[in-house]
């Protein structure tokens, strides 16, 4: 709740952020974020028909993509994984394509 006691939501990517914090606290080997895409794409598929899933993206690259509008992962979600020692990899999984 907020300071006035009114119930609030986790806001955009709040559950992803909670997962990253929990992963950090539990010293997890990895963090999986479930979403509606197969991973981080090379471009916006609405604008680039042949966009493809990038097999691996560094935290810095993911931060830059998010800065320029990619919505697959919010920068604050990456912070707990970056602060862990060792850093925790984050995997983007598709809720509708679990085989990916």
């Amino acid at each position: 709740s907020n300071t006035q006691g009114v119930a609030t939501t986790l806001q955009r990517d709040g559950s992803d952020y909670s997962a990253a914090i929990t992963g950090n606290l539990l010293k997890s080997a990895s963090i999986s974020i479930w979403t509606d895409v197969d991973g981080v794409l090379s471009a916006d598929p609405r604008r680039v028909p042949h966009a493809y899933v990038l097999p691996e993206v560094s935290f810095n690259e993911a931060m830059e993509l998010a800065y320029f509008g990619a919505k697959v992962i919010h920068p604050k979600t990456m912070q707990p994984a970056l602060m862990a020692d060792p850093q925790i990899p984050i995997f983007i999984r598709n809720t509708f394509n679990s085989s990916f």
Side-chain angles (χ1 to χ4, degrees), residues 66-84:
Y67 176 80
F68 286 107
K71 303 221 183 307
V72 68
I73 189 165
H74 194 279
K76 74 178 180 183
T77 298
M78 293 182 263
Q79 289 174 341
L82 278 167
M83 293 186 321

Side-chain angles (χ1 to χ4, degrees), residues 13-95:
D13 294 316
S15 60
D16 295 351
Y17 184 49
S18 297
I21 290 171
T22 302
N24 180 312
L25 292 173
L26 297 176
K27 301 191 183 308
S28 297
S30 66
I31 299 166
S32 292
I33 303 297
W34 291 87
T35 185
D36 61 350
V37 295
D38 286 335
V40 179
L41 298 172
S42 60
D44 184 340
R46 295 170 295 185
R47 295 177 182 227
V48 180
H50 299 293
Y52 57 91
V53 175
L54 298 171
E56 188 172 306
V57 178
S58 72
F59 281 116
N60 286 339
E61 290 167 327
M63 290 276 201
E64 189 171 332
L65 288 167
Y67 176 80
F68 286 107
K71 303 221 183 307
V72 68
I73 189 165
H74 194 279
K76 74 178 180 183
T77 298
M78 293 182 263
Q79 289 174 341
L82 278 167
M83 293 186 321
D85 187 25
Q87 291 181 344
I88 304 169
I90 298 174
F91 295 96
I92 307 299
R93 304 285 189 223
N94 188 335
T95 305

Side-chain angles (χ1 to χ4, degrees), residues 1-9:
S1 64
N2 65 17
T3 56
Q4 288 80 34
V6 177
T8 61
T9 65

